[in-house]
């Protein structure tokens, strides 16, 4: 990530400010037009970010696994779509991180040597080789008694992250939101999800990500498009655009380290 890693020199210092004064979360929400949202009460053990030293367990970033339904749709796409299959197979063959068993089983999937029933069963059982997309990890995650805050920070990156190892089109923020929705479902709760970016004022895609209404375009560009209207509406309702590091500096008087 280099010396100008946003997680270390932007997110972590700001997260510590929020942990020291929880009321500042409400001020942050106002920067992205969330004035009407009462975020609620949270403890420092409910704050997650890289290098976190504000809670007793020294937790880092929150990991948000995808749903089993998403994994099954991904597997079905790889089996049925030639372009997706080639992309997946090439990534598996080139990977130097996979175990011998995982590589063997994933290539068997790509070569249609397994039935969908067998693949889906492995997903349901949580077999490692069948988990074709790992957990997303937002830069900042805060859970209160009534809401969940999901923030992705950018600093020197020229563009948004828009792919994963096995999907050519996979938006990072969409992964975070879907992961947070799945998190709610696993915990059998219905907390409000508020998700947005923090970027420099010079960020190339700032107009695109700053317009909440354009998030529908993200859903349509995915290798696995979101086709369920109700689910698409739920996802879009969680997205609140972006604010900038410069706006945060002005609002909170923070002097961020340069490296």
């Amino acid at each position: 990530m280099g010396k100008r890693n946003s997680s270390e020199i932007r997110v972590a210092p700001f997260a510590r400010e929020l942990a020291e004064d929880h009321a500042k979360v409400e001020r942050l929400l106002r920067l992205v037009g969330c004035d009407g949202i009462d975020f609620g009460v949270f403890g420092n053990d409910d704050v997650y970010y890289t290098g976190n030293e504000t809670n007793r367990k020294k937790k880092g970033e929150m990991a948000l696994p995808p749903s089993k339904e998403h994994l099954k749709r991904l597997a079905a796409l790889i089996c049925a779509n030639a372009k997706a299959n080639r992309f997946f197979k090439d990534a598996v063959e080139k990977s130097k991180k996979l175990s011998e068993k995982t590589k063997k089983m994933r290539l068997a999937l790509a070569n249609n040597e397994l039935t969908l029933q067998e693949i889906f069963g492995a997903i349901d059982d949580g077999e490692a080789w069948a988990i074709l997309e790992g957990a997303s990890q937002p830069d900042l995650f805060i859970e209160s008694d009534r809401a969940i805050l999901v923030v992705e920070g950018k600093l020197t990156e020229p563009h948004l992250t828009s792919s994963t190892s096995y999907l050519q089109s996979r938006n990072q923020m969409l992964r975070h939101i879907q992961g947070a929705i799945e998190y709610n479902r696993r915990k059998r709760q219905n907390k409000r999800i508020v998700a947005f970016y923090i970027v420099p004022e010079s960020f190339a895609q700032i107009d695109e990500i700053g317009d909440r209404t354009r998030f529908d375009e993200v859903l349509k560009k995915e290798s696995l498009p979101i086709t369920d209207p109700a689910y698409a509406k739920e996802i879009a309702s969680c997205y609140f655009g972006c604010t900038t590091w410069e706006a945060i500096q002005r609002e909170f008087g923070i002097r961020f380290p340069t490296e």
Side-chain angles (χ1 to χ4, degrees):
M1 294 184 183
K3 292 183 178 181
R4 289 175 55 77
N5 174 7
S6 62
S7 296
E8 295 179 0
I9 68 173
R10 289 292 184 275
V11 177
F14 183 48
R16 287 193 289 270
E17 290 268 340
L18 300 178
E20 290 171 5
D21 184 353
H22 295 182
K24 289 182 177 179
V25 171
E26 302 286 352
R27 291 166 60 187
L28 171 62
L29 295 181
R30 287 197 292 272
L31 288 180
V32 288
C34 303
D35 304 54
I37 296 177
D38 180 1
F39 189 71
V41 178
F42 64 94
N44 285 353
D45 280 357
D46 303 311
V47 180
Y48 299 78
Y49 61 92
T50 294
N52 187 357
E53 69 282 359
T54 63
N55 60 46
R56 292 168 296 175
K57 296 182 179 180
K58 302 292 187 286
K59 301 171 186 174
E61 294 178 345
M62 169 65 81
L64 299 172
S67 68
K68 290 182 179 179
E69 289 75 17
H70 173 77
L71 295 175
K72 290 175 181 179
R73 288 188 68 211
L74 172 53
L77 177 74
I78 293 165
C79 291
N81 183 284
K83 182 179 179 181
N85 185 282
R86 285 194 302 271
F87 186 82
F88 171 77
K89 190 173 182 179
D90 185 57
V92 172
E93 288 176 338
K94 290 180 178 178
S95 176
K96 297 180 180 179
K97 298 180 180 180
L98 299 178
S99 70
E100 184 177 340
K101 177 185 177 181
T102 294
K103 179 171 284 193
K104 177 182 177 181
M105 295 301 295
R106 289 184 181 177
L107 288 176
L109 182 158
N111 292 327
N112 292 314
E113 296 170 6
L114 301 171
T115 66
L116 281 179
Q117 184 177 6
E118 289 173 321
I119 298 165
F120 290 176
I123 291 171
D124 284 334
D125 292 341
E127 293 188 34
W129 72 264
I131 308 305
L132 304 178
E133 181 175 297
S136 74
Q137 294 179 274
D139 288 321
L140 176 62
F141 180 100
I142 303 177
E143 181 176 7
S144 75
D145 59 338
R146 62 182 65 188
I148 292 172
L149 176 66
V150 175
V151 174
E152 180 61 31
K154 301 294 181 186
L155 185 59
T156 59
E157 301 96 322
H159 301 287
L160 302 177
T161 302
S162 58
S163 65
T164 57
S165 296
Y166 297 149
L167 283 174
Q168 283 183 296
S169 296
R170 184 70 170 126
N171 181 272
Q172 186 178 27
M173 181 59 77
L174 176 57
R175 286 185 68 202
H176 292 338
I177 292 173
Q178 288 183 287
I181 290 173
E182 178 64 14
Y183 175 86
N184 261 340
R185 290 175 179 171
R186 287 199 317 272
K187 296 189 73 173
R188 299 186 179 184
Q189 60 189 26
N190 189 32
K191 293 182 179 179
R192 179 70 180 270
I193 297 168
V194 179
F196 55 88
Y197 291 98
I198 306 178
V199 299
E201 290 177 348
S202 60
F203 190 69
Q205 294 170 278
I206 193 167
D207 291 337
E208 174 187 337
I209 64 175
D211 184 351
R212 287 187 65 192
T213 64
R214 294 182 63 180
F215 201 67
D216 286 341
E217 298 173 15
V218 170
L219 308 187
K220 296 173 184 176
K221 291 177 182 177
E222 289 283 285
S223 296
L224 280 174
I226 307 300
T227 56
D228 179 351
Y231 187 39
K233 184 177 180 180
E234 180 182 11
I235 291 169
S237 72
C238 300
Y239 182 64
F240 284 84
C242 71
T243 187
T244 66
W245 294 117
E246 291 86 350
I248 286 173
Q249 283 181 300
R250 291 190 293 269
E251 173 68 23
F252 298 98
I254 299 175
R255 301 185 68 176
F256 289 116
T258 57
E259 60 179 48

